[in-house]
Amino acid sequence: MEDEDLQMIEAVLQGNQPAFQQLVERYQHFVFTIALRIVKSREEAEEVAQDVFLKVYKTLGQFEKKSKFSTWLYTVAWRTSIDQARRKQILTDSIDDEEGAFWQIATPDETPLQAVQHSDLQQQLQQAIQQLRPDDAALITLYYLNEKSVKEIADITGLTETNIKTKLYRTRELLREYLDAQLQEEIKDML
Amino acid sequence: MKAQDKQHLWQQLDGEPTDSGRAQPPRRATELDTEWKTRQLLHHSLQKMEAEQPSMRFVMNVMDRLPQLYKKITVQPLVHPRWVHAFLYMLTGAGLLYVGVVVHYVQTAEDAAVNLSPTIDWLLQFFALLPAQSWGMMAILCASYLFFVLLDRHLRKRFSKTDASPPKENSI
């Protein structure tokens, strides 16, 4: 994947603009998700994600290939989204203040009914993540969705590895507490 | 449950103590424990989480906004390759002719009856008319020509690879 990225970058630098479209198609979902986790609005996330790709395109000649292209791209996405969030002063409530949401649980050997419940669980999880602090939501996304290591996340965010591990631990505990609080009896039945 | 134990459970799920990778956390005795199973469920759900979808026109919107920054450099050789080939053939031909004359001269000189053919005789006379300086001039011109041809090829290769020097990637 990295080799293909580098080939496409070379092609773009040689004036083959359509090659950049392939890069956009490949990474649009991840960049958009990171932006959405931070700015919390789909419209704004779309604007931010577009700006990210524009910035990357304009500075593509500066990419030194010392790190993965995806790491460099997510660094731009992180910084652009954080800047936008600061500009708009996005404030979010912690999920433990949220009421009315509920979680449904599915076990690995799930029945069709449980599968439906599981898809609900995914939706509930998405909603819960949306209610997290922007940086915590983005960290969870980078760690799980983009499957970045703690070291790579440190490179992207500029935080220390210890700080990231602590934040990941706290965020996941927060999500778990939310899960416990919302499900109560249901979770006991499922487990 | 102590915070340290909770942290340990997450480390187990991340696969940190066993180096077996976070995709397959090790099974352990506490697996039946509700605390473990709740975290395991959350961990798996987060792993299965799907990316958000931007609008259908996202890619087109990005491409529409791109400025034309990187232009293809059209590199043309200073000398047409046909002339380069012609020159190389001529040079090879002249070299072979020279060697042929020398070999023929040596063979015929060894013979008692030295009888050079009229053509070779004429060639030798023609070459004898040219002073040494003229040969030197021609050699310099040929060498210069070859140098510029090679330089042209080298520069053409180099500039067709990249048109933008990559400075630093941390400047964003």
Side-chain angles (χ1 to χ4, degrees):
Chain A
M1 188 133 170
E2 274 83 50
D3 289 342
E4 285 178 27
D5 287 348
L6 293 179
Q7 283 173 6
M8 280 187 258
I9 290 166
E10 282 295 325
V12 174
L13 290 175
Q14 286 176 24
N16 183 6
Q17 204 177 42
F20 192 72
Q21 186 170 336
Q22 290 176 274
L23 284 172
V24 179
E25 283 168 359
R26 178 173 287 180
Y27 290 106
Q28 57 172 329
H29 303 109
F30 298 126
V31 171
F32 177 71
T33 306
I34 292 170
L36 182 61
R37 295 281 182 264
I38 296 174
V39 300
K40 310 289 184 187
S41 143
R42 293 192 75 85
E43 289 75 24
E44 274 189 52
E46 189 133 337
E47 279 292 315
V48 169
Q50 284 182 25
D51 289 344
V52 168
F53 282 111
L54 273 175
K55 274 187 188 176
V56 164
Y57 179 77
K58 286 176 183 170
T59 53
L60 205 56
Q62 295 175 9
F63 176 55
E64 285 183 321
K65 297 157 196 165
K66 285 178 184 171
S67 59
K68 288 181 192 169
F69 172 70
S70 59
T71 304
W72 185 59
L73 176 67
Y74 297 155
T75 307
V76 181
W78 169 273
R79 290 182 189 176
T80 311
S81 305
I82 291 285
D83 285 348
Q84 177 70 8
R86 281 181 186 148
R87 212 174 295 132
K88 296 279 178 185
Q89 292 184 324
I90 292 171
L91 299 171
T92 52
D93 298 325
S94 177
I95 56 168
D96 46 12
D97 296 332
E98 182 70 16
E99 289 181 3
F102 70 98
W103 292 53
Q104 295 195 11
I105 299 298
T107 59
D109 304 319
E110 54 193 13
T111 63
L113 176 63
Q114 286 170 330
V116 173
Q117 287 175 332
H118 189 252
S119 87
D120 286 343
L121 170 66
Q122 290 292 327
Q123 285 178 358
Q124 295 294 330
L125 192 54
Q126 296 271 14
Q127 284 178 15
I129 290 170
Q130 277 294 92
Q131 292 164 37
L132 289 170
R133 282 163 47 89
D135 50 345
D136 292 341
L139 283 182
I140 283 284
T141 304
L142 284 168
Y143 189 68
Y144 282 104
L145 184 65
N146 301 107
E147 293 184 339
K148 290 286 178 191
S149 66
V150 172
K151 190 185 177 309
E152 282 175 310
I153 297 173
D155 291 338
I156 290 167
T157 59
L159 301 169
T160 62
E161 289 184 36
T162 314
N163 198 349
I164 288 163
K165 282 181 183 174
T166 308
K167 275 174 171 287
L168 277 174
Y169 164 71
R170 283 183 185 163
T171 308
R172 290 189 292 192
E173 276 301 311
L174 202 61
L175 288 170
R176 188 196 60 77
E177 283 167 18
Y178 178 77
L179 178 80
D180 280 345
Q182 297 299 323
L183 288 172
Q184 295 174 348
E185 291 305 315
E186 288 93 332
I187 192 170
K188 284 175 189 166
D189 292 341
M190 297 306 290
L191 298 177
Chain B
M1 195 176 192
K2 289 178 184 176
Q4 197 178 355
D5 293 334
K6 290 177 186 175
Q7 204 150 11
H8 184 65
L9 283 177
W10 283 116
Q11 283 176 342
Q12 289 273 320
L13 283 164
D14 288 337
E16 283 183 18
T18 57
D19 293 328
S20 59
R22 60 183 171 194
Q24 289 181 329
R27 301 176 77 85
R28 42 170 284 165
T30 55
E31 200 171 11
L32 295 175
D33 184 18
T34 312
E35 293 280 350
W36 166 262
K37 290 197 88 175
T38 315
R39 284 172 181 82
Q40 192 182 36
L41 180 67
L42 178 61
H43 186 70
H44 290 323
S45 298
L46 286 167
Q47 281 178 327
K48 286 176 187 170
M49 202 167 52
E50 289 179 1
E52 299 283 347
Q53 304 289 322
S55 68
M56 298 287 280
R57 267 198 59 80
F58 181 81
V59 178
M60 295 313 297
N61 288 341
V62 172
M63 294 310 288
D64 288 347
R65 288 174 66 184
L66 290 187
Q68 188 69 42
L69 287 181
Y70 308 104
K71 288 182 181 173
K72 198 167 189 172
I73 296 179
T74 49
V75 185
Q76 287 185 335
L78 292 173
V79 182
H80 197 281
R82 195 186 301 161
W83 288 107
V84 177
H85 291 149
F87 174 76
L88 289 174
Y89 287 138
M90 279 173 59
L91 210 61
T92 312
L96 288 172
L97 184 66
Y98 182 77
V99 171
V101 168
V102 169
V103 169
H104 187 78
Y105 180 77
V106 170
Q107 282 178 348
T108 49
E110 284 173 353
D111 203 351
V114 178
N115 186 20
L116 296 174
S117 69
T119 314
I120 294 172
D121 197 25
W122 179 86
L123 274 172
L124 286 173
Q125 280 176 358
F126 172 76
F127 288 136
L129 286 174
L130 293 172
Q133 287 89 343
S134 305
W135 284 108
M137 288 282 283
M138 277 186 71
I140 288 168
L141 282 172
C142 288
S144 306
Y145 182 77
L146 274 174
F147 170 75
F148 282 118
V149 166
L150 292 173
L151 184 69
D152 172 51
R153 284 187 179 180
H154 173 71
L155 291 175
R156 196 148 44 102
K157 266 187 192 172
R158 186 177 169 184
F159 283 101
S160 64
K161 272 187 181 173
T162 54
D163 62 336
S165 57
K168 289 179 180 178
E169 65 189 71
N170 296 328
S171 60
I172 293 177

